[in-house]
Amino acid sequence: MGSNPQQVRKRRVFYIPGYDPIHPRRYRELYRKEGAAQAQISGYSLTLSPKRTKGPYGWHVEAEMDGQRTGADIEVLVWSDIVRGSMEATIPGTYWQLLSTAWIYISTGALRRLMRLRKGPVIAALYPVGMLLLQALLALLLALGVAHAYGLAAGAVGMNGTFAWLPGWALGLGAGYALLSWFRKRDGKFFAYYLMHDYAHTAATRGAIAPEMEARMGQFRALIAEALQDEGLEEVLIVGHSSGAHLGVSVLADLIREGLPPERPALGFLTLGQVVPMVSFLPRARRLRADLKYLCQRKELAWVDVTAPGDGCAFALCDPVAVSGVAPDGKRWPLVFSAAFTQTLSPERWKQLRWRFFRLHFQYLCAFDQPGDYDYFRITAGPLTLADRYGNRKPSRSRIDFPVSKFTSVAAE
């Protein structure tokens, strides 16, 4: 590669995070730490500095790879405020979300069909249901225990009758609710409430895009459209991680429908750890399915989808267009391949991370100690466009690329 002409000297990267309530500085620190680690492993240099562009939170990267220097401005397209708003449900409200979300996925047949893809993300979806029910059971047992203990104590001092038990039940219910509150405050360890809010946010509209999210996506589209007018850029790259992947699909589909400048930078779309089927398999996801069908045929961009079977929170190697049942005859994208955690992480590192499911879901944004042809930092800060980097890459042979979704109608129908 060192003898090849440099395609990219200046790049804009727009990162769309998943369902994450945390401030976007988290992603800057992750990029700084993991980028330094990957640079040391792979033998290139990577330096971060304050952002040089207007717009959302971001940072600037200067890199030297294969004897070529490249600059990139990376910006986070923030929707964490919408996420935080969706997480404001009370404890009873969260249990109502559990019932309604489970009903939607079961009654529509979506859950049964999702299980035909990968078991990992389905187990991840069932985990908060099981954990919240376990917490409720423990709270109930505590309430009964406190009420019974009070009743025995009251009887020992000669207090009998129905009214003697009322304070005991009040104390028991208070103790049970206190235990539920204790679990909720420590959800940073259990992730039950977090995941329940995530799935409830998706299921609440049965796959349709909520008005506030549609408005935010319009803002994202405007920022990307402005970058595509910059004649000093060689590439505009959109990275959609987890839930950010299906948001990116709709943003880019609308952007291309509106028309791109005739003279513009290369347009790349990288989806990582996608969970598209969790949305596209729902009955009212017609807008998303239409966007998948449209985007997969376009020549205006290069779309690469990277997952890994080791990531239990993603639909690994599931072609999001094909499994959603909307793949047309002229399908070009995405190129689906695996980050192959068991090969690109050393046995020691894999042993450390194997059961850390949430950490593995972010591994696509991190360093690999035995890197293969996927390197997040080369993609976002290196001298090749996404299209050139993977122009000769074959898709993974073990990918799932047949229709599975029951619902295949699109917005135009």
Side-chain angles (χ1 to χ4, degrees), residues 11 13-16 27 30-31 34-35 38 44 46 59 65 74-75 237-241 270 272 362-368 373-382 389-390:
R11 172 190 285 112
V13 180
F14 294 94
Y15 173 77
I16 308 177
Y27 295 102
L30 185 67
Y31 195 100
E34 296 295 331
Q38 192 67 72
Y44 53 73
L46 201 70
W59 58 93
M65 300 179 182
I74 301 178
E75 297 160 69
L237 175 66
I238 289 78
V239 179
H241 177 229
L270 176 66
L272 304 172
F362 282 86
Q363 179 58 41
Y364 311 98
L365 312 178
C366 298
F368 292 86
D373 63 354
Y374 173 76
D375 181 331
Y376 182 63
F377 306 98
R378 285 191 181 274
I379 293 171
T380 55
R389 182 171 298 281
Y390 294 112

Side-chain angles (χ1 to χ4, degrees), residues 70-141:
T70 305
D73 286 293
I74 301 178
E75 297 160 69
V76 181
L77 299 182
V78 177
W79 60 292
S80 55
D81 56 321
I82 295 176
V83 173
R84 288 192 296 271
S86 72
M87 297 178 69
E88 292 178 351
T90 62
I91 293 175
T94 300
Y95 278 91
W96 175 250
Q97 286 182 340
L98 184 158
L99 294 174
S100 60
T101 302
W103 169 251
I104 289 169
Y105 275 103
I106 294 171
S107 65
T108 62
L111 180 63
R112 177 172 55 84
R113 290 177 179 268
L114 288 170
M115 292 180 70
R116 293 174 56 187
L117 299 177
R118 296 289 183 184
K119 298 298 188 292
V122 175
I123 293 172
L126 294 176
Y127 165 78
V129 175
M131 178 57 73
L132 287 172
L133 290 178
L134 176 61
Q135 292 176 10
L137 176 62
L138 293 175
L140 176 62
L141 292 175

